[in-house]
Amino acid sequence: MKKLFYVFLLLTGVWQCRQADPPALTGPEAREIALEAQTALGQTLKAKLQSEGAVEAIGFCNVNAIPITKRVAETRGVRLKRVTDRPRNPENQATPAEIAMMLRLQEAPDTTRLQREDMEGIHYYTPIYTANLCMQCHGQPGTEIPQEVLAVLAKKYPADAATGYMPGELRGLWKITLPLTDKPRQP
């Protein structure tokens, strides 16, 4: 009987450990991770644009944007990606729930972070706004985006929907996911 009691206690302890809430990110931490990724991507892309121009920057972004983001995610112990309702890269297509988050941000532009939870984890979203620098590849076709850039975009991204933006417009979201696991998050 004593053995049965200890087995019961052990199983109860294991159950309670599995039910514990995952370590959460604070709003400032989520924004910090998004800013770190935005800075890593933005500085690298800005240097490429200045040194080699928009045509070469497209090729660089095509190959390096996701790995740069992945490096930040691995360093921070989270999953991280950019999502948008108008993707250039189909891997960045926002889900209906993420599009709803974008609409919420458009209605309340002072919001700096949104959060939702599902079976995959806790998701934090921070906005990505277009800057003047972005207009060379995401601005108005034919005026801000030269024809040679449009030709390269059409070749690399046949289903490109990521043009026609204005400076300061909501371009997408950084999605920071804290997975639901038993493994602690690495800061």
Side-chain angles (χ1 to χ4, degrees):
M1 188 61 144
K2 209 175 198 183
K3 264 187 181 176
L4 188 58
F5 176 72
Y6 286 121
V7 169
F8 174 75
L9 280 178
L10 178 66
L11 289 176
T12 303
V14 168
W15 174 256
Q16 287 175 345
C17 286
R18 290 192 164 280
Q19 296 301 314
D21 290 334
L25 289 172
T26 64
E29 285 176 319
R31 282 191 300 278
E32 184 181 302
I33 292 169
L35 182 60
E36 183 179 335
Q38 184 73 38
T39 301
L41 189 56
Q43 286 178 345
T44 309
L45 195 52
K46 182 178 180 179
K48 195 63 145 172
L49 280 165
Q50 290 173 342
S51 67
E52 298 181 40
V55 170
E56 293 301 318
I58 293 165
F60 175 83
C61 197
N62 177 267
V63 173
N64 295 290
I66 291 175
I68 289 170
T69 302
K70 188 175 180 180
R71 253 191 319 276
V72 172
E74 288 171 352
T75 301
R76 295 303 203 111
V78 297
R79 278 187 259 144
L80 178 66
K81 74 180 283 190
R82 293 173 299 158
V83 297
T84 183
D85 59 339
R86 292 166 48 193
R88 174 157 288 156
N89 182 335
E91 290 182 42
N92 296 335
Q93 176 63 55
T95 66
E98 292 162 348
I99 292 170
M101 293 283 185
M102 289 182 71
L103 292 172
R104 284 178 57 193
L105 280 169
Q106 288 171 338
E107 292 168 3
D110 291 337
T111 303
T112 57
R113 179 186 67 102
L114 297 169
Q115 178 179 335
R116 78 178 176 85
E117 189 172 334
D118 62 18
M119 297 299 289
E120 194 179 309
I122 301 171
H123 309 283
Y124 299 87
Y125 297 91
T126 62
I128 300 171
Y129 294 104
T130 53
N132 288 330
L133 181 70
C134 306
M135 297 300 102
Q136 296 175 59
C137 298
H138 293 287
Q140 303 303 314
T143 55
E144 293 169 305
I145 308 173
Q147 288 303 319
E148 63 271 11
V149 172
L150 288 170
V152 173
L153 287 172
K155 186 176 180 183
K156 290 201 178 287
Y157 303 100
D160 183 18
T163 60
Y165 286 97
M166 303 294 292
E169 188 175 351
L170 181 65
R171 162 90 175 84
L173 302 169
W174 283 105
K175 177 183 179 181
I176 302 120
T177 301
L178 189 56
L180 295 178
T181 67
D182 294 335
K183 199 164 95 176
R185 181 171 74 89
Q186 302 295 317

